[in-house]
Amino acid sequence: MKSVIFPAEEKWNELCKRPQMNQTDLDVVVRGILRQVREEGDEALLRLSEKYDGTCFRNLKLPSSSFEKALRLVPDDLKEAIKTASGNIRKFHSIQIREEPVVETTEGVRCWRRNVPIGRVGLYIPGGTAPLFSTVLMLAIPAIIAGCREVILCTPPDRTGNVNPVILYAAYSCGITEVYRIGGAQAVAAMAYGTQSIPRVDKIFGPGNQYVTKAKELVQLEGTAIDMPAGPSEVLIIADSSADPSFVAADLLSQAEHGPDSQVVLVTDAPGFHEAVMSEAERQAASLPRRDIAEKSLSNSLIILLRSAEECIRFSNMYAPEHLIISTSDPDLLAAEVVNAGSVFIGRFSCESAGDYASGTNHTLPTGGWARNTAGLSVESFIKKITFQEISARGIKNIGPVVERMAEEESLMGHKNAVTVRLKSLENDEN
């Protein structure tokens, strides 16, 4: 990891920049994939799957027998772990929908909002070297709690056409049985446009590689909603001399092993502390199966030494990390100052991997600095809030003159007239 010692504050913005990749070629490739799926439907999906994933089969929708097989293949202890994690996720997310009261803004004018679930949603679950079955829980459980009418799931198969059994078990445990074996940008295109086999959805959720992310960005421009902008995973750790170097090193490595483009940042006000952390990281990395990936990620990451805890939290708020771990002598003090972060982990035992799996909070979070203005996924991500108003005769008398005057000032006389005819009608009735 690159070390930066006491950087001047005017240099902080530069340190907050994430690595950028060439988007030009990516844009061309993904636009081509979207066009093919939009124009040819299933035929394009099958052709693209063979090209990019090396698969060759005709049925995109998984048969029910695949779920039965998954139930047999998943070990009982893992089933129990998924059950516990699901319970915690469900418990945390169940409190997120609240009915709002009717408000009488003026006598005779009643206004309120009603929660309405999004009708059909599509979940994308990556496969690859680390199939993210935990993301199934993070996406499906809030969707079910929200009451979405239909939830479909797309995930890439292996070369034989099979989907990872743990992904299928997690989906089944949440009540999702409409699963399609398709991955990459073509899966996003299928959900955005609809094909002969895969229905068009109203909103797309889920992480993915650069092709999936670009596809989500592009279909959003065409009118299909997405959960949030997503990029490589990241963590920022604020640690002082009271922190355990082995804990901090483990947290850095747990994030770094996501992928070589993941970014980890250690911010400390304790000179020399980072040396103990890096020594621990080197020792622990030696036993990791994904050591090469983690080391590549660390080589692109940062250790920043600042002069005080107050500077550390100010830098963190400027960086706006996806995950923020605070391991200091008084973590609550710094946690109270957090304004930009996806999810915050307070204290020495609050490891980020707990939030990734089982604490109950959602691990679908804004990356790349989007935490400055975007929240992580929640039940509210799967609902719309529709406003209602009901105005009585007394109500239109009370606010009608206000509307008339404002509409007249904006030269929208039709707006004014919609009120005026009602007021005159009431005058006639009274006479």
Side-chain angles (χ1 to χ4, degrees):
M1 295 176 71
K2 177 185 176 183
S3 298
V4 183
I5 310 300
F6 301 136
E9 193 159 348
E10 57 266 26
K11 302 289 187 181
W12 288 9
N13 266 324
E14 190 67 27
L15 294 172
C16 288
K17 290 181 179 179
R18 277 59 164 185
Q20 295 295 315
M21 59 184 303
N22 187 340
Q23 295 284 315
T24 304
D25 293 342
L26 179 64
D27 190 88
V28 172
V29 171
V30 174
R31 284 184 186 276
I33 292 172
L34 297 183
R35 176 184 52 76
Q36 291 176 64
V37 176
R38 184 172 56 242
E39 294 176 358
E40 302 176 58
D42 282 356
E43 287 302 315
L45 292 180
L46 296 171
R47 185 175 64 250
L48 291 164
S49 291
E50 186 172 4
K51 177 180 179 180
Y52 291 113
D53 298 325
T55 59
C56 186
F57 50 84
R58 299 300 301 177
N59 297 323
L60 291 168
K61 186 175 182 179
L62 276 178
S64 58
S65 58
S66 296
F67 294 96
E68 296 167 5
K69 183 178 179 181
L71 291 174
R72 296 193 301 269
L73 290 175
V74 177
D76 289 340
D77 61 337
L78 180 54
K79 289 178 181 177
E80 281 300 312
I82 290 173
K83 180 179 179 181
T84 299
S86 296
N88 290 345
I89 295 165
R90 189 170 288 108
K91 187 180 298 184
F92 178 74
H93 287 75
S94 291
I95 66 168
Q96 293 175 5
I97 289 190
R98 293 185 175 89
E99 294 299 325
E100 300 177 17
V102 176
V103 177
E104 189 171 54
T105 57
T106 297
E107 184 184 359
V109 180
R110 299 167 67 244
C111 302
W112 66 98
R113 297 199 302 175
R114 191 176 79 202
N115 296 323
V116 178
I118 296 172
R120 181 189 287 137
V121 298
L123 315 182
Y124 182 79
I125 305 300
T129 58
L132 299 181
F133 70 89
S134 59
T135 301
V136 177
L137 308 179
M138 296 292 177
L139 300 180
I141 291 173
I144 299 301
I145 292 172
C148 296
R149 171 176 48 84
E150 186 175 353
V151 183
I152 73 168
L153 188 153
C154 289
T155 190
D158 62 22
R159 290 183 177 272
T160 64
N162 293 318
V163 169
N164 183 280
V166 189
I167 287 179
L168 289 184
Y169 177 78
Y172 184 83
S173 72
C174 295
I176 296 174
T177 56
E178 194 171 347
V179 176
Y180 299 90
R181 45 185 173 181
I182 188 74
Q186 57 268 30
V188 174
M191 292 188 282
Y193 307 131
T195 71
Q196 293 87 345
S197 297
I198 301 176
R200 178 177 180 175
V201 304
D202 301 308
K203 191 171 183 179
I204 298 172
F205 297 80
N209 62 19
Q210 57 184 326
Y211 295 94
V212 170
T213 299
K214 175 57 69 173
K216 287 173 65 180
E217 291 174 3
L218 292 175
V219 299
Q220 183 181 36
L221 297 176
E222 298 175 348
T224 300
I226 65 171
D227 46 2
M228 67 187 73
S233 193
E234 57 193 36
V235 67
L236 185 147
I237 302 175
I238 298 176
D240 63 12
S241 58
S242 71
D244 187 320
S246 66
F247 289 7
V248 174
D251 289 332
L252 292 172
L253 289 169
S254 72
Q255 195 64 34
E257 73 174 354
H258 270 296
D261 55 354
S262 296
Q263 190 170 42
V264 298
V265 179
L266 170 61
V267 183
T268 181
D269 63 350
F273 176 75
H274 70 281
E275 295 174 357
V277 171
M278 292 315 299
S279 176
E280 268 295 320
E282 185 175 343
R283 183 185 66 80
Q284 293 180 28
S287 62
L288 293 179
R290 296 168 67 88
R291 174 182 179 177
D292 290 346
I293 292 174
E295 289 181 343
K296 286 178 182 176
S297 172
L298 289 178
S299 69
N300 295 319
S301 298
L302 294 171
I303 296 170
I304 301 173
L305 178 63
L306 297 174
R307 299 184 186 282
S308 65
E310 189 272 337
E311 280 196 353
C312 290
I313 195 64
R314 281 200 292 117
F315 179 86
S316 175
N317 282 328
M318 182 178 290
Y319 186 89
E322 177 190 19
H323 305 98
L324 169 61
I325 298 174
I326 303 176
S327 185
T328 61
S329 58
D330 190 355
D332 291 327
L333 185 66
L334 292 186
E337 300 299 318
V338 175
V339 293
N340 295 326
S343 192
V344 184
F345 300 79
I346 303 170
R348 61 193 287 122
F349 295 108
S350 301
C351 55
E352 183 262 326
S353 51
D356 271 354
Y357 291 108
S359 68
T361 61
N362 209 287
H363 76 203
T364 306
L365 302 165
T367 63
W370 283 95
R372 296 185 189 95
N373 49 46
T374 303
L377 188 137
S378 68
V379 175
E380 290 183 337
S381 305
F382 293 89
I383 64 173
K384 305 169 290 185
K385 289 182 178 286
I386 300 177
T387 60
F388 295 80
Q389 53 242 282
E390 183 178 29
I391 303 173
S392 66
R394 170 59 61 187
I396 197 66
K397 284 183 178 180
N398 285 336
I399 68 167
V402 173
V403 176
E404 287 181 311
R405 179 67 187 89
M406 294 176 73
E408 183 177 358
E409 187 65 25
E410 292 189 345
S411 300
L412 297 174
M413 302 311 291
H415 283 61
K416 177 183 178 182
N417 187 57
V419 174
T420 302
V421 294
R422 287 171 168 80
L423 293 179
K424 286 182 177 179
S425 172
L426 290 173
E427 290 177 9
N428 293 336
D429 289 346
E430 291 172 356
N431 294 330

